[in-house]
Amino acid sequence: MILRRYLSLVGIGSAEIDLILQKDTFKAGDSVGGYFLIKGGTIEQQIKQIDCDLVLMDQANGIEKVIDSTTIMLSAWIDSEASNKVDFIFQLPESVPVSSKDISYRFTTKLTFDEGVESFDQDIIKIK
């Protein structure tokens, strides 16, 4: 048990997060809905917060910038091998440019624990 605890603290066998979206194509100003799926690792872990950033990637200019962010503060435990869902709703700004060969978007999600290595997820979306 102690070995599994230390391994999870360095990221081996720790809980993971996955953002599940209802769809992947949106219009500027749309509401994006879905949920975060948190899958427990080899030991019980205390979740501290979930951060999710909408990131614009501009390939032509080599720019990557955060457009908007949301943070969900939690004080919850995820049991080993369990799974939990946390609802996700995100309002896209009205002023975002449409996706193109040079402009693309992704949601970058970070799950932070009270102790241990953070878990990350990325989901590409299109704006038409």
Side-chain angles (χ1 to χ4, degrees):
M1 181 67 173
I2 293 174
L3 178 60
R4 285 192 286 170
R5 176 172 167 71
Y6 285 115
L7 288 174
S8 72
L9 290 176
V10 296
I12 299 170
S14 64
E16 298 176 350
I17 191 161
D18 186 15
L19 174 58
I20 308 295
L21 300 174
Q22 295 170 344
K23 59 183 184 173
D24 64 0
T25 303
F26 304 92
K27 296 179 191 168
D30 277 356
S31 179
V32 178
Y35 60 91
F36 298 107
L37 178 60
I38 304 170
K39 299 176 193 172
T42 57
I43 65 163
E44 179 183 63
Q45 288 181 278
Q46 185 173 10
I47 299 168
K48 187 175 178 181
Q49 70 186 48
I50 300 171
D51 296 293
C52 189
D53 299 330
L54 175 61
V55 179
L56 177 142
M57 297 166 292
D58 182 343
Q59 303 298 329
N61 297 308
I63 297 171
E64 198 170 287
K65 69 177 182 176
V66 175
I67 301 290
D68 203 357
S69 298
T70 186
T71 298
I72 301 170
M73 302 301 289
L74 296 174
S75 182
W77 288 86
I78 181 76
D79 291 330
S80 69
E81 308 300 324
S83 63
N84 290 344
K85 292 181 180 179
V86 177
D87 290 335
F88 172 78
I89 298 176
F90 192 95
Q91 189 70 40
L92 293 174
E94 292 281 347
S95 61
V96 293
V98 297
S99 297
S100 66
K101 69 177 183 96
D102 292 327
I103 302 289
S104 59
Y105 297 91
R106 73 171 182 254
F107 282 109
T108 301
T109 305
K110 177 175 70 172
L111 176 63
T112 305
F113 304 102
D114 195 41
E115 293 180 335
V117 175
E118 299 162 330
S119 173
F120 294 92
D121 179 47
Q122 293 187 48
D123 298 89
I124 303 293
I125 65 166
K126 294 178 185 169
I127 299 179
K128 59 180 185 172

